[in-house]
Amino acid sequence: MNVRSVPAVTAGLLAVTLMTTPARSASRAHGDGGGAVELVCEAVYLPARSTWTRSVRIVYDGRRVRSVQVDGVPVYAFNVAGTVLLTAIDNERIQIDVAARTWISDFRGQATAQGRCERQPPPAAGPAATP
């Protein structure tokens, strides 16, 4: 295996983990095995001991993660390491393990957070419009 194929393999592992979840999005893109996963994470921030509810949306296709949003804000960049998604928003560095359903983050050493994430069910299909 050459070095260039490693990111595709690890990104593929995350995509496979996302696809094997029972709460897959109903809006899969063009039948390519992709979709979106919505997570709600309850993160406890220390030293303040405050709990924040964080929302994460991960859009993927059959091979890789395409985009990530945290609290409705698209992230500028992200990396995938196995089943862990690494990203940052402002000064907060974030690690989300989609297999273990955990959130870990820190504000450059000033505060840290840990929490559990729950998958949100896909939106229910509304009643069909009648012509």
Side-chain angles (χ1 to χ4, degrees):
M1 174 184 309
N2 65 31
V3 175
R4 292 180 185 209
S5 66
V6 173
V9 170
T10 58
L13 179 59
L14 181 65
V16 167
T17 302
L18 293 170
M19 288 188 299
T20 59
T21 63
R24 236 182 349 191
S25 172
S27 62
R28 287 183 280 210
H30 310 299
D32 62 357
V37 170
E38 304 276 341
L39 301 172
V40 174
C41 303
E42 295 290 326
V44 177
Y45 285 81
L46 297 176
R49 294 187 181 170
S50 59
T51 302
W52 293 2
T53 301
R54 309 298 300 267
S55 63
V56 180
R57 179 176 170 83
I58 304 169
V59 178
Y60 60 94
D61 62 19
R63 296 173 35 171
R64 69 181 140 251
V65 175
R66 304 302 259 167
S67 66
V68 178
Q69 292 181 357
V70 176
D71 297 333
V73 177
V75 300
Y76 178 72
F78 59 88
N79 271 323
V80 175
T83 60
V84 178
L85 183 73
L86 304 154
T87 191
I89 295 282
D90 296 328
N91 282 329
E92 184 176 17
R93 294 177 289 197
I94 302 166
Q95 299 177 32
I96 302 163
D97 189 329
V98 297
R101 297 183 189 169
T102 57
W103 169 288
I104 298 172
S105 66
D106 74 88
F107 283 98
R108 306 284 181 200
Q110 300 301 311
T112 61
Q114 291 185 346
R116 297 281 301 156
C117 298
E118 296 294 326
R119 296 183 196 281
Q120 294 297 102
T130 55

